[in-house]
Amino acid sequence: EVQLLESGGSLAQPGGSLRLSCTASGFTFSNYAMIWVRQAPGKGLEWVSVMTARVSGGNAYYADSVKGRFTISRDDSKNTLYLQMNSLRAEDTAVYYCARRPNYHHSSGYYYDYLDYWGQGTLVTVSS
Amino acid sequence: AVQMTQSPSSLSASVGDRVTITCRASQGINNDIGWYQQRPGKAPKLLIYAAFTLQTGVPSRFSGSGSGTDFTLTISSLQPEDFATYYCLQDYSYPLTFGGGTKVEIK
């Protein structure tokens, strides 16, 4: 059974740092791209960051709202995805979800990505 | 960045109703769109990917359609467990962008 378990969320001060973890089980973690998505209280979903599988280059992509402040990484030996969050702002307050991002090879040759398994989320609150 | 305009933002419907939710992309996205359901306090759940493909285990009353820039999620006969918020997500180009969500409420 595929499981994703986020941890590390807590109360942080503006300008502070936190590191979120997402521990995976039930699948070969190293074969998959992984993603962070967040949801501010009462708001919609917002994409934060993606890291591709190492076999696909291990590339990282970021939303403009977090670029330069957040760093995504992965430790395939520990089946764990990380999000290092620095220079935190009040607007970073949200539930942070990790999700698995497989792709589907269509007959056209195009690869479609999607988010098939999600963790339960971890709450980050930035406040003084 | 590709903007995803989702409509309506909310709707009221009865059990058994046919419900349609639309997402319009600001540019072509090669059908690279997924639909997600989120119940209160829960993580999102994948319903449809690649515009039309039903995720394994998702009831067949859910379907996706569209092409170019206009895409639709249809629930053919609304069930009590379908009252939730629905989001589209374009996975065609970075930054990935979600629609604003559609809250489906009980009439």
Side-chain angles (χ1 to χ4, degrees), chain B residues 46-69:
Chain B
L46 174 67
L47 300 174
I48 302 279
Y49 62 93
F52 317 107
T53 305
L54 192 68
Q55 170 67 347
T56 303
V58 173
S60 59
R61 63 180 180 273
F62 292 94
S63 64
S65 63
S67 63
T69 59

Side-chain angles (χ1 to χ4, degrees), chain A residues 105-116:
Chain A
H105 189 196
H106 190 263
S107 57
S108 65
Y110 187 81
Y111 284 88
Y112 288 96
D113 298 295
Y114 52 97
L115 310 180
D116 64 347

Side-chain angles (χ1 to χ4, degrees), chain B:
Chain B
V2 178
Q3 306 299 320
M4 300 298 289
T5 303
Q6 187 171 343
S7 61
S9 56
S10 66
L11 65 90
S12 295
S14 301
V15 173
D17 284 354
R18 181 181 182 88
V19 167
T20 299
I21 298 167
T22 298
C23 268
R24 172 165 289 174
S26 59
Q27 63 188 71
I29 57 171
N30 197 35
N31 294 346
D32 206 343
I33 183 171
W35 291 94
Y36 297 82
Q37 176 194 66
Q38 187 179 34
R39 297 189 176 105
K42 299 297 186 182
K45 172 188 173 184
L46 174 67
L47 300 174
I48 302 279
Y49 62 93
F52 317 107
T53 305
L54 192 68
Q55 170 67 347
T56 303
V58 173
S60 59
R61 63 180 180 273
F62 292 94
S63 64
S65 63
S67 63
T69 59
D70 294 335
F71 300 91
T72 299
L73 172 70
T74 299
I75 310 172
S76 60
S77 177
L78 200 64
Q79 298 302 300
E81 61 268 31
D82 301 337
F83 291 95
T85 300
Y86 294 84
Y87 295 92
C88 63
L89 168 66
Q90 71 81 16
D91 214 324
Y92 176 70
S93 66
Y94 295 108
L96 306 186
T97 43
F98 285 92
T102 297
K103 186 173 184 179
V104 177
E105 299 176 301
I106 301 172
K107 183 183 286 186

Side-chain angles (χ1 to χ4, degrees), chain A residues 81-124:
Chain A
L81 178 74
Y82 300 101
L83 187 67
Q84 178 66 43
M85 309 165 66
N86 297 333
S87 302
L88 283 163
R89 305 168 179 167
E91 54 265 35
D92 296 320
T93 295
V95 174
Y96 285 72
Y97 297 100
C98 68
R100 189 176 81 165
R101 189 171 181 236
N103 59 51
Y104 155 60
H105 189 196
H106 190 263
S107 57
S108 65
Y110 187 81
Y111 284 88
Y112 288 96
D113 298 295
Y114 52 97
L115 310 180
D116 64 347
Y117 287 94
W118 296 64
Q120 85 292 342
T122 188
L123 176 62
V124 172

